[in-house]
Amino acid sequence: MEYKKRIIITGGAGFIGSHVVRRFVNNYPMYHIINLDKLTYAGNLANLKDIEDKPNYTFVKADICDFPKIMELMKTYQVDGIIHLAAESHVDRSIKDPFTFAQTNVLGTLSLLQAAKNYWESLSERYEGKRFYHISTDEVYGALDFDDTLFTESTKYDPHSPYSASKASSDHFVRAFHDTYGMPTIVTNCSNNYGPYQFPEKLIPLFINNIRHRKPLPVYGKGENVRDWLFVEDHARAIDTIFHHGKVAETYNIGGFNEWKNIDIIKVLIKTTDRLLGRPEGADDDLITFVTDRKGHDLRYAIDSTKLKKELGWEPSLQFEEGIEKTVQWYLDNQEWMDNVTSGDYQKYYEEMYQNR
Ligand code: NAD
Ligand code: TYD
């Protein structure tokens, strides 16, 4: 079949990437979707079980830092779009091991950009009909005080953690490839995501699983830090809209207008999980355990996504209460997924499913 577009989605076996891959594979049978993922600890092909046999889907195990391999894939699949989500994504890991973050997030992004440039510039139509869409985070803008106004697209970059510093650097490289070579790039900066298939090192899935197993809930500092939460499928829908209708060289902020103090979210998680498990209200309140704060813990993130609403008509579809209910229910219904992740068994999935094909 002659596909209308051939798109590499990097990091498609991760949390947000798997929702983006699923959406594109299901909604666009006329596109060939190539999921390029190294399958680090955060990559789990079981996240995509429901679409892995679709004819317009191909999985390739590769490292974005492997420049010759990326060049080869660009040519083999005649790629005209890249949606780049592959990254090291956990702040606590970046504090322990910043080198890996610089390697993957900065050099990996540069390797993709350079491969796209070399391939697209070798074609007669060059950059016409091409798109390099880079997914970034609101954390590049730094931290807000409680009374500061929200991050907009013109807020100055001021990253504090090795994670946000590496993402900020990658964003600059993407924009530099537009400004220097004319590559049609787009960058979006999104707030904290939650929903199914998130690796249980992040607050929401970790805490749901701990509540289920009556394990302590380690709250950093006083639990007063604020995050702006967006349901992951809303992010995937924003990515779809922006990939198709966003203006080249633009930046769009994506957020939920949904700020919560950590401690308040944690109380909602306990209440919802206990109710869905049929436990009496308040049964697990004593799991809350205040622990030493994260180093350099950013106080508050909050995104103003007015531009995206005004220009492209996107806005969040789910109320937070509804999203949290769906999310808790999903983790309770998918205990096998969670057990495979926490035991490490998920890493065998690739060997079994793909090695012998
Ligand atoms: P994740 O950690 O769940 O998934 C990352 C994926 O990238 C994994 O499948 C992993 O195997 C893959 N990967 C890592 N290194 C790779 C490499 N060198 N080559 C190829 N693949 C590699 O991350 P996520 O939470 O889904 O985040 C996806 C993107 O969205 C990241 O760029 C992140 O910075 C950004 N983002 C995340 C959030 C959030 O709340 N999770 C918010 C805003 C932006
Ligand atoms: P996290 O999910 O790691 O996302 P990010 O650091 O990118 O915002 O953490 C969300 C918030 O929850 C953040 O303020 C740190 C806090 N947190 C805890 O209090 N305890 C935990 O065990 C974790 C993982 C996070």
Side-chain angles (χ1 to χ4, degrees):
M1 159 169 183
E2 181 63 26
Y3 287 108
K4 199 170 154 202
K5 280 186 199 297
R6 291 151 296 270
I7 302 168
I8 283 185
I9 299 182
T10 71
F15 165 48
I16 304 172
S18 63
H19 289 275
V20 176
V21 166
R22 175 176 297 100
R23 183 178 178 96
F24 274 70
V25 166
N26 285 334
N27 290 6
Y28 303 104
M30 69 298 249
Y31 295 173
H32 186 190
I33 302 300
I34 301 115
N35 173 9
L36 188 165
D37 200 296
K38 184 183 173 183
L39 298 182
T40 66
Y41 80 93
N44 182 356
L45 285 174
N47 297 356
L48 290 166
K49 252 184 190 164
D50 53 322
I51 57 111
E52 68 191 4
D53 292 325
K54 295 263 174 150
N56 64 331
Y57 172 70
T58 302
F59 172 72
V60 178
K61 186 174 190 292
D63 185 340
I64 53 168
C65 299
D66 183 349
F67 175 72
K69 178 77 183 172
I70 305 296
M71 266 313 302
E72 178 201 314
L73 293 171
M74 292 295 296
K75 285 187 202 149
T76 306
Y77 292 108
Q78 303 180 338
V79 172
D80 33 36
I82 297 181
I83 304 179
H84 175 35
L85 296 108
E88 290 292 336
S89 69
H90 190 41
V91 174
D92 292 330
R93 285 180 189 258
S94 81
I95 294 168
K96 293 200 186 95
D97 174 21
F99 276 110
T100 304
F101 282 68
Q103 176 70 27
T104 296
N105 298 358
V106 185
L107 295 179
T109 300
L110 180 56
S111 148
L112 275 179
L113 284 163
Q114 186 67 26
K117 172 182 179 292
N118 288 2
Y119 174 62
W120 289 339
E121 288 190 354
S122 75
L123 305 173
S124 56
E125 78 272 18
R126 292 173 62 88
Y127 291 118
E128 208 186 303
K130 308 295 185 288
R131 183 144 292 194
F132 189 107
Y133 178 2
H134 176 61
I135 311 300
S136 191
T137 166
D138 60 356
E139 302 190 26
V140 298
Y141 297 124
L144 295 167
D145 222 322
F146 289 123
D147 52 3
D148 285 339
T149 53
L150 312 188
F151 298 132
T152 69
E153 287 80 0
S154 51
T155 301
K156 195 167 80 58
Y157 273 33
D158 184 22
H160 299 299
S161 72
Y163 165 64
S164 54
S166 67
K167 290 296 291 187
S169 173
S170 64
D171 295 7
H172 291 316
F173 268 109
V174 173
R175 295 193 181 101
F177 267 63
H178 171 267
D179 297 349
T180 308
Y181 308 112
M183 183 181 286
T185 60
I186 293 189
V187 177
T188 56
N189 299 87
C190 188
S191 61
N192 284 58
N193 284 217
Y194 70 97
Y197 301 112
Q198 187 167 29
F199 196 84
E201 62 187 351
K202 306 277 168 67
L203 180 78
I204 289 185
L206 175 71
F207 279 33
I208 295 170
N209 195 42
N210 283 11
I211 297 163
R212 182 185 183 120
H213 295 291
R214 293 212 151 108
K215 290 208 248 168
L217 307 175
V219 182
Y220 299 162
K222 294 184 181 146
E224 281 176 349
N225 305 66
V226 172
R227 298 291 183 263
D228 173 358
W229 293 93
L230 180 69
F231 191 63
V232 63
E233 287 175 16
D234 275 335
H235 189 188
R237 184 168 48 83
I239 290 171
D240 182 347
T241 302
I242 293 162
F243 179 78
H244 287 99
H245 306 292
K247 270 200 228 131
V248 162
E250 288 286 324
T251 297
Y252 298 91
N253 279 352
I254 310 173
F257 288 110
N258 178 42
E259 292 182 53
W260 284 77
K261 266 191 188 172
N262 289 342
I263 192 69
D264 293 334
I265 281 222
I266 291 160
K267 287 178 183 159
V268 172
L269 289 176
I270 296 176
K271 212 172 157 179
T272 311
T273 309
D274 279 348
R275 177 169 48 75
L276 294 175
L277 285 173
R279 294 180 187 166
E281 189 163 343
D284 289 318
D285 291 353
D286 61 351
L287 294 178
I288 293 179
T289 310
F290 293 97
V291 300
T292 309
D293 209 352
R294 174 186 278 172
K295 285 188 175 72
H297 196 171
D298 285 339
L299 181 65
R300 174 177 166 234
Y301 306 138
I303 271 276
D304 182 346
S305 52
T306 309
K307 173 177 170 180
L308 182 54
K309 182 174 178 195
K310 266 200 194 144
E311 294 188 9
L312 302 181
W314 176 92
E315 55 186 331
S317 71
L318 273 192
Q319 290 299 314
F320 189 59
E321 289 69 15
E322 201 187 332
I324 279 291
E325 177 96 10
K326 269 180 102 158
T327 301
V328 173
Q329 190 68 64
W330 188 88
Y331 285 101
L332 297 181
D333 289 346
N334 289 274
Q335 190 59 34
E336 199 191 341
W337 179 91
M338 182 62 88
D339 289 345
N340 280 335
V341 173
T342 49
S343 68
D345 279 356
Y346 70 107
Q347 285 167 324
K348 295 180 196 139
Y349 191 78
Y350 168 73
E351 320 295 327
E352 285 161 19
M353 290 305 296
Y354 285 86
Q355 299 291 59
N356 303 323
R357 279 191 175 190

PDB file of all heavy atoms in Angstrom, residues 2 247 298:
ATOM      1  N   GLU A   2       0.472   2.225  -0.786  1.00  0.00           N
ATOM      2  CA  GLU A   2       1.199   3.510  -0.812  1.00  0.00           C
ATOM      3  C   GLU A   2       0.646   4.394   0.311  1.00  0.00           C
ATOM      4  O   GLU A   2      -0.520   4.815   0.267  1.00  0.00           O
ATOM      5  CB  GLU A   2       0.972   4.165  -2.179  1.00  0.00           C
ATOM      6  CG  GLU A   2       1.668   5.502  -2.390  1.00  0.00           C
ATOM      7  CD  GLU A   2       3.207   5.426  -2.344  1.00  0.00           C
ATOM      8  OE1 GLU A   2       3.766   4.333  -2.649  1.00  0.00           O
ATOM      9  OE2 GLU A   2       3.816   6.440  -1.999  1.00  0.00           O
ATOM     10  N   LYS A 247       1.573  25.722  13.372  1.00  0.00           N
ATOM     11  CA  LYS A 247       2.401  26.506  12.438  1.00  0.00           C
ATOM     12  C   LYS A 247       3.863  26.182  12.652  1.00  0.00           C
ATOM     13  O   LYS A 247       4.336  26.121  13.800  1.00  0.00           O
ATOM     14  CB  LYS A 247       2.204  28.006  12.712  1.00  0.00           C
ATOM     15  CG  LYS A 247       1.083  28.613  11.915  1.00  0.00           C
ATOM     16  CD  LYS A 247       1.261  30.135  11.856  1.00  0.00           C
ATOM     17  CE  LYS A 247      -0.029  30.816  12.189  1.00  0.00           C
ATOM     18  NZ  LYS A 247       0.028  31.867  13.162  1.00  0.00           N
ATOM     19  N   ASP A 298      11.329  21.969  42.462  1.00  0.00           N
ATOM     20  CA  ASP A 298      10.604  23.135  41.936  1.00  0.00           C
ATOM     21  C   ASP A 298       9.266  23.274  42.655  1.00  0.00           C
ATOM     22  O   ASP A 298       8.497  22.308  42.755  1.00  0.00           O
ATOM     23  CB  ASP A 298      10.346  22.971  40.430  1.00  0.00           C
ATOM     24  CG  ASP A 298      11.605  23.202  39.598  1.00  0.00           C
ATOM     25  OD1 ASP A 298      12.545  23.861  40.094  1.00  0.00           O
ATOM     26  OD2 ASP A 298      11.646  22.732  38.439  1.00  0.00           O
TER      27      ASP A 298
END
